[in-house]
């Protein structure tokens, strides 16, 4: 049977990793985004998911057998998040329907399924850790739930199978991405080395001391592709993390060692990156010009607000992977190595010095 993948959000952290793995496995890969970028082995498809006519026209000559959804747009309120992101998926499914070629759709969301949306992140009555898929939805409006509902409705109407994948914070490469802890920390560490500033943990005491986990983009890619081709995984939702756990009190020193700097032990005072890096744009431009880096605009690389949200949580966040393990998914990635692999790639690609 033909294997033609449409990766929606192909230029993001998640989409790039999925597209790269699909290419390696011999799939025909189509990469949809508003502004496509060159990707080896990927045929670009330009479309604005908020414009139904744009989507229909972009898809009319295509025949994807599998769709991998990795995109969303952040709005000012959760009500707007729900409205806008539901419309995006509705337009996509409406554009795919006339093709009658889609057999499976994989939707990537995240742990806000358990932690709540941005407006209520980590607050209120939350499920006990480790988070498990059978804990269900919170009693709060959440754009992830709206995305799922659009998926479920389209699957029932159009006859394709589905899977939902919930990563923790994703480690991967993507310039211009709004949720990018790995590159943000790489830029922050590079600036600390340049200026001699202390490498200070920006988050909460709970995050410094508690167990946590993360998701390498390659681990996510492996799971979504596995689920798309495994009948027992169809019409199922899955958590996806690396498979190890760690404390930031250990990881923070590991990251500092890679950059050849010394990490400070956390003293109980939260120092958000949004404050620490508030005046760093000119410093980064100077470093980029001197070192011949590819991107001199710090806002295209660092997203302090997102890193602060994750590292400032007042609760432990650990994710259970038993569901997919029992069905045969055995992927594993040590998180410190995931960071180091990313840093090496950023350095090789002249993103960091």
């Amino acid at each position: 049977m033909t294997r033609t993948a449409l990766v929606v959000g192909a230029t993001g952290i998640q989409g790039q990793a999925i597209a790269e793995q699909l290419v390696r496995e011999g799939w025909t890969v189509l990469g949809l985004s508003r502004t496509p970028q060159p990707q080896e082995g990927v045929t670009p498809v330009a479309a604005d998911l908020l414009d139904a006519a744009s989507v229909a026209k972009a898809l009319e000559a295509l025949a994807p057998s599998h769709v991998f959804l990795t995109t969303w747009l952040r709005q000012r309120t959760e009500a707007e998040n729900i409205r806008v992101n539901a419309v995006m998926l509705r337009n996509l499914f409406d554009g795919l329907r006339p093709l009658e070629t889609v057999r499976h759709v994989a939707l990537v969301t995240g742990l806000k399924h358990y932690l709540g949306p941005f407006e209520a992140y980590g607050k209120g009555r939350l499920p006990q850790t480790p988070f498990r898929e059978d804990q269900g939805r919170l009693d709060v409006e959440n754009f992830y739930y709206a995305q799922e509902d659009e998926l479920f409705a389209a699957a029932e109407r159009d006859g394709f199978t589905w899977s939902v994948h919930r990563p923790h914070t994703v480690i991967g490469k993507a310039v211009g991405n709004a949720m990018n802890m790995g590159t943000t920390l790489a830029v922050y560490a590079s600036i600390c080395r340049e200026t001699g500033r202390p490498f200070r943990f920006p988050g909460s005491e709970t995050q410094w001391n508690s167990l946590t986990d993360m998701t390498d983009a390659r681990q996510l890619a492996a799971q979504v592709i596995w689920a798309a081709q495994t009948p027992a995984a169809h019409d199922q939702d899955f958590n996806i993390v690396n498979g190890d756990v760690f404390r930031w009190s250990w990881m923070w020193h590991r990251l500092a060692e890679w950059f050849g700097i010394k990490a400070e032990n956390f003293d109980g005072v939260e120092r958000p990156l949004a404050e620490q890096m508030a005046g760093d744009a000119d410093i980064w431009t100077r470093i980029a010009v001197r070192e011949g880096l590819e991107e001199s605009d710090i806002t295209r690389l660092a997203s302090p607000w997102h890193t602060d949200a994750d590292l400032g949580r007042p609760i432990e966040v650990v994710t259970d992977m038993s569901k997919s393990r029992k069905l045969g998914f055995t992927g594993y990635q040590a998180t410190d190595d995931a960071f180091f692999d990313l840093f090496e790639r950023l350095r090789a690609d002249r993103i960091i010095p």
Side-chain angles (χ1 to χ4, degrees):
M1 300 178 72
T2 59
R3 297 191 307 171
T4 300
L6 176 67
V7 181
V8 182
T11 59
I13 288 178
Q14 301 166 352
Q16 281 193 48
I18 292 170
E20 289 172 0
Q21 185 59 37
L22 288 165
V23 169
R24 282 192 289 269
E25 294 186 14
W27 291 59
T28 299
V29 183
L30 313 167
L32 187 150
S33 60
R34 281 177 296 173
T35 308
Q37 300 171 5
Q39 294 173 270
E40 187 174 353
V42 178
T43 300
V45 179
D48 180 354
L49 293 182
L50 289 173
D51 183 342
S54 164
V55 176
K57 183 173 179 56
L59 296 177
E60 62 184 359
L62 306 179
S65 58
H66 296 72
V67 179
F68 300 90
L69 284 164
T70 70
T71 191
W72 67 286
L73 284 177
R74 187 183 183 192
Q75 306 299 307
R76 295 184 64 182
T77 66
E78 190 60 20
E80 277 297 288
N81 278 333
I82 291 168
R83 184 188 68 81
V84 167
N85 288 283
V87 166
M88 289 168 60
L89 264 62
R90 202 173 308 139
N91 288 342
L92 176 69
F93 291 133
D94 287 347
L96 291 168
R97 186 169 305 117
L99 306 180
E100 298 184 339
T101 60
V102 176
R103 303 199 298 269
H104 183 86
V105 176
L107 170 66
V108 179
T109 60
L111 292 196
K112 284 189 288 296
H113 182 94
Y114 309 106
L115 289 164
F118 288 113
E119 292 179 3
Y121 193 53
K123 300 175 182 177
R125 190 177 183 87
L126 300 175
Q128 188 177 38
T129 58
F131 297 138
R132 293 180 171 89
E133 296 90 345
D134 62 5
Q135 290 168 321
R137 295 180 175 184
L138 302 176
D139 186 19
V140 62
E141 295 296 312
N142 190 323
F143 81 91
Y144 280 170
Y145 306 160
Q147 287 184 311
E148 287 184 345
D149 289 342
E150 293 294 334
L151 171 67
F152 301 155
E156 183 176 359
R157 181 180 56 238
D158 300 334
F160 56 76
T161 58
W162 57 266
S163 58
V164 173
H165 305 266
R166 299 178 188 135
H168 196 167
T169 305
V170 177
I171 302 170
K173 183 192 173 193
V175 174
N177 191 274
M179 299 171 66
N180 194 339
M181 180 188 287
T183 304
T184 298
L185 293 180
V187 169
Y188 172 60
S190 299
I191 290 172
C192 287
R193 185 176 60 193
E194 172 80 8
T195 61
R197 280 166 25 192
F199 187 61
R200 287 176 169 158
F201 184 70
S204 68
E205 186 169 7
T206 299
Q207 290 304 302
W208 179 256
N209 290 318
S210 297
L211 291 172
T212 192
D213 48 32
M214 292 184 72
T215 307
D216 189 303
R218 298 166 297 184
Q219 174 84 332
L220 170 63
Q223 193 197 58
V224 298
I225 297 170
W226 163 81
Q229 301 177 99
T230 303
H234 292 171
D235 302 338
Q236 300 285 339
D237 51 355
F238 298 107
N239 295 330
I240 174 61
V241 287
N242 288 334
D244 65 347
V245 294
F246 64 91
R247 303 181 200 275
W248 278 105
S249 57
W250 173 79
M251 183 68 76
W252 198 248
H253 291 272
R254 293 282 287 158
L255 303 186
E257 288 170 5
W258 195 92
F259 285 93
I261 57 179
K262 185 176 180 179
E264 280 196 350
N265 282 317
F266 184 63
D267 62 1
V269 178
E270 291 191 29
R271 298 180 174 87
L273 284 182
E275 297 175 5
Q276 292 194 55
M277 301 179 70
D280 285 347
D282 290 343
I283 296 172
W284 184 256
T285 299
R286 183 174 72 242
I287 295 172
V289 171
R290 186 188 70 219
E291 302 293 334
L293 303 182
E294 292 294 321
E295 182 56 70
S296 61
D297 182 356
I298 196 171
T299 65
R300 295 266 299 155
L301 300 176
S303 49
W305 68 270
H306 175 256
T307 299
D308 287 339
D310 278 3
L311 298 185
R313 290 179 297 213
I315 57 173
E316 175 187 80
V317 180
V318 180
T319 315
D320 182 75
M321 280 274 289
S322 298
K323 188 175 182 180
S324 61
R325 297 293 192 219
K326 291 176 181 178
L327 292 176
F329 179 74
T330 59
Y332 172 85
Q333 170 66 58
T335 300
D336 54 343
D337 287 339
F339 272 118
F340 301 157
D341 290 349
L342 171 64
F343 297 158
E344 288 168 2
R345 185 175 177 186
L346 292 174
R347 182 166 285 173
D349 291 345
R350 306 300 302 156
I351 302 299
I352 62 172

